Amino acid sequence: MHFRLGELFCGPGGIAWGAAHADIGDPNYKIIHTWANDYDADTCSTYRHNICPNEPSSVHHADIRTFDLTSLPAIDALAFGFPCNDYSVVGEQKGINGIYGPLYSYGVKALRQFRPQFFLAENVSGLQNANEGSAFKKILSELREAGYTITPHLYKFEEYGIPQARHRIIIIGIRSDLDVVFRVPSPAPYAYKDNTSKTALEVPPIPKNAHNNEPTKHAPIVVQRLSYIKPGQNAFTADLPEELQLNIKGAQISQIYKRLDPKKPAYTVTGSGGGGTHIYHWAEPRALTNRERARLQTFPDNYEFMGSKESVRKQIGMAVPCEGARIIFEAVLRSFAGIKYDAAEPNI
């Protein structure tokens, strides 16, 4: 059974890579790219270049609010990582009342139009608490009403061998008329995997000619400040001389000038980068390159991101880790194939 996949808010292709590489040992069960949409031009270029270079017209650069979904071909599976800006704990948390908050509804619209056999929806962990929890309940209710049995779960990707502490709500929906039961894949098989940031960035070494590997140019004061910050520390927990301390009022964000701990998974890769919010190397006084950030997101080294250095940083930060997506899609395929696998209890 080959599932034709459509994607809304497709990002640079982390979900798509995971779908394309999902392998349960039965060639009859595959997920095939059919079409994708995103509002960002560079993101669409990255997706075309890596996911469907022979079908560039299948990726539609358009604002979902004006995009004609009826022009798209039929699909058997839908993925939509709807924008998280209004649900992130870092933002204002306007939730469903923000500009981006209501965009999940286009995923529901696509479910009603295409009636795919399953879907994957993704968002940040803050979605649970937005609008005092009412937004999440509303979204889950609408997904059920569209005709799907849903399994929401807060995946902690570091538990699945991903070299990054990244916590994301992923909802798997199976069309209600199908005799298929999805179960959350257990993290137990990945418990012994070395997913430290040091191993992720050094084994194997990044090729010298790797794409998107340009270093960041730092001001001398940044280099000096980093020299006082130990692995795992940030600008507020380190013992900094007064002249290197940050004069910031209000919240002291823990990721400002935070250096990686080489013995642990990285902290969350985000799309930001200004004001000390790059991810910083544990030994060298510098920010990680985009290629290193992509490794923490488990993109292969030959995955080439399009656009400016800043655009690439944002694309990498918004993506779902490739290997994490693959693990979840393989659980979906096993569910359809009737193959038993280690499962965990949903935590939502």
Side-chain angles (χ1 to χ4, degrees):
M1 184 179 293
H2 287 187
F3 297 90
R4 297 164 294 175
L5 177 67
E7 272 197 87
L8 301 176
F9 319 107
C10 65
I15 288 176
W17 189 96
H21 289 80
D23 183 359
I24 61 171
D26 184 341
N28 293 315
Y29 289 86
K30 295 274 187 190
I31 303 173
I32 310 296
H33 162 79
T34 302
W35 52 256
N37 157 258
D38 201 276
Y39 77 104
D40 182 77
D42 287 342
T43 292
C44 289
S45 295
T46 296
Y47 192 107
R48 291 186 190 103
H49 182 74
N50 296 279
I51 301 300
C52 53
N54 298 323
E55 304 171 87
S57 63
S58 67
V59 181
H60 303 269
H61 171 223
D63 187 326
I64 190 64
R65 292 167 289 194
T66 55
F67 184 46
D68 181 14
L69 290 174
T70 62
S71 66
L72 299 171
I75 53 172
D76 310 295
L78 177 70
F80 56 107
F82 53 104
C84 65
N85 312 53
D86 289 321
Y87 300 114
S88 173
V89 294
V90 178
E92 297 180 41
Q93 289 188 284
K94 293 181 180 179
I96 216 158
N97 299 318
I99 296 173
Y100 303 100
L103 295 184
Y104 77 90
S105 64
Y106 291 92
V108 177
K109 181 181 178 182
L111 290 175
R112 293 185 180 280
Q113 177 182 326
F114 294 103
R115 300 289 295 148
Q117 295 185 54
F118 76 86
F119 74 81
L120 180 154
E122 179 265 347
N123 210 278
V124 293
S125 59
L127 175 63
Q128 290 183 89
N129 302 317
N131 306 112
E132 298 180 339
S134 63
F136 191 42
K137 290 178 182 177
K138 177 177 172 61
I139 291 170
L140 295 182
S141 175
E142 291 188 28
L143 291 171
R144 289 190 185 99
E145 289 170 4
Y148 290 84
T149 301
I150 61 174
T151 306
H153 185 71
L154 179 63
Y155 288 82
K156 298 180 179 181
F157 281 114
E158 67 273 24
E159 296 179 354
Y160 290 85
I162 308 301
Q164 179 193 168
R166 191 177 190 89
H167 300 171
R168 291 293 183 268
I169 292 174
I170 291 182
I171 306 164
I172 295 295
I174 306 292
R175 207 172 65 205
S176 300
D177 63 325
L178 301 176
D179 185 20
V180 176
V181 177
F182 171 79
R183 297 176 302 150
V184 175
S186 170
Y190 310 94
Y192 300 102
K193 184 174 180 180
D194 181 353
N195 64 339
T196 62
S197 56
K198 180 179 173 67
T199 296
L201 300 186
E202 294 185 349
V203 182
I206 292 175
K208 291 183 178 176
N209 61 347
H211 297 293
N212 312 115
N213 204 31
E214 311 90 337
T216 297
K217 295 178 181 177
H218 295 298
I221 191 171
V222 171
V223 175
Q224 193 176 1
R225 181 179 293 122
L226 287 171
S227 70
Y228 283 89
I229 300 175
K230 297 176 182 178
Q233 290 185 337
N234 61 49
F236 303 106
T237 58
D239 185 14
L240 293 177
E242 188 173 351
E243 66 273 14
L244 297 177
Q245 293 176 11
L246 298 178
N247 184 22
I248 296 178
K249 295 180 180 179
Q252 297 182 348
I253 300 175
S254 64
Q255 292 191 7
I256 290 185
Y257 292 110
K258 184 173 183 178
R259 301 188 80 161
L260 293 173
D261 183 333
K263 298 178 181 179
K264 296 179 180 179
Y267 53 94
T268 306
V269 177
T270 68
S272 60
T277 56
H278 287 284
I279 295 180
Y280 295 87
H281 198 275
W282 61 88
E284 301 171 22
R286 63 171 181 86
L288 298 190
T289 67
N290 279 328
R291 186 79 268 151
E292 289 171 322
R293 292 160 62 89
R295 275 222 176 164
L296 298 177
Q297 286 277 57
T298 62
F299 282 96
D301 287 343
N302 63 356
Y303 204 97
E304 185 177 2
F305 295 85
M306 304 292 145
S308 68
K309 187 164 169 281
E310 289 70 28
S311 173
V312 169
R313 183 185 69 236
K314 291 177 182 177
Q315 291 176 54
I316 293 169
M318 77 168 72
V320 173
C322 296
E323 290 291 347
R326 180 184 61 79
I327 290 167
I328 296 168
F329 278 123
E330 286 181 349
V332 173
L333 292 180
R334 289 190 180 100
S335 298
F336 274 89
I339 300 172
K340 291 184 178 181
Y341 58 91
D342 291 339
E345 286 297 319
N347 57 16
I348 293 177

